[in-house]
Amino acid sequence: MANEQIIESIRSMAEGLLTETPEFFVVEVKIKPTNNIKLFIDGDQGVPIDKLIKFNRALYPLLETSGLFPADDFSLEVSSPGLDEPLKLHRQYTKNIGRKIEVTFPDNTAREGTLLAVREDQIDIEELIGKKKEKQLTTIPFTEIKYTKVCIVF
């Protein structure tokens, strides 16, 4: 079975387990060559570690009986995406409204601002421009975004 099919099978199992808790969602599934499965789950209000542990314990036996990994030759890590991970889903943008983000474009230029709104095809950020730090509203279509990261502000 191709890696993409295995990833899709794991995503499907994970999403099936999450149907009872719609505030949580699958962000990404990665498989390393050593069959180390990394499953990233996020939530509209974040994900408490006890939920990640519970989810890992529910998914592991499903993977063991799935036949995807002969001789149960796999390991499973379930975590939430770290702050250094780019936003991947529309739902992640929505949960970060009001936070400072950095948007990187395909030419590797970047803009920073506060995420004000998320629509189906674009986001609005408020940038502080110039020495006087004047507020400017900037609309950025998703098609122009290479990736977006939440800024860590202390």
Side-chain angles (χ1 to χ4, degrees):
M1 189 181 288
N3 216 23
E4 295 81 31
Q5 292 172 306
I6 294 172
I7 288 171
E8 210 38 58
S9 294
I10 295 168
R11 176 183 288 279
S12 180
M13 283 183 227
E15 288 171 347
L17 289 172
L18 288 174
T19 55
E20 296 168 22
T21 50
E23 68 272 23
F24 302 122
F25 52 93
V26 175
V27 175
E28 186 174 25
V29 178
K30 293 181 182 177
I31 303 176
K32 291 188 173 182
T34 56
N35 288 342
N36 174 292
I37 303 163
K38 290 184 177 268
L39 175 63
F40 295 97
I41 296 175
D42 208 345
D44 297 322
Q45 308 295 316
V47 186
I49 191 141
D50 63 313
K51 295 287 185 194
L52 294 170
I53 292 167
K54 184 178 176 185
F55 191 74
N56 186 314
R57 289 181 179 154
L59 183 59
Y60 198 92
L62 293 178
L63 289 170
E64 282 182 313
T65 59
S66 71
L68 292 173
F69 301 96
D72 295 334
D73 182 24
F74 70 92
S75 62
L76 174 64
E77 293 177 37
V78 178
S79 66
S80 58
L83 283 176
D84 57 335
E85 287 288 318
L87 303 179
K88 296 192 184 315
L89 304 175
H90 191 273
R91 197 164 168 182
Q92 288 179 292
Y93 280 88
T94 302
K95 86 172 235 184
N96 284 292
I97 289 174
R99 296 183 78 180
K100 188 174 180 180
I101 61 170
E102 181 180 72
V103 178
T104 301
F105 300 95
D107 65 359
N108 290 322
T109 60
R111 297 179 96 147
E112 270 189 18
T114 302
L115 181 60
L116 295 182
V118 180
R119 289 191 287 291
E120 193 163 317
D121 57 349
Q122 63 193 27
I123 61 172
D124 293 335
I125 64 171
E126 181 181 82
E127 296 180 274
L128 299 177
I129 304 294
K131 290 182 181 174
K132 294 184 179 180
K133 301 285 185 194
E134 292 185 35
K135 292 179 180 181
Q136 173 183 308
L137 181 68
T138 304
T139 298
I140 305 169
F142 282 115
T143 55
E144 292 179 18
I145 297 174
K146 182 176 180 181
Y147 61 86
T148 302
K149 290 188 176 186
V150 175
C151 297
I152 301 168
V153 181
F154 295 99

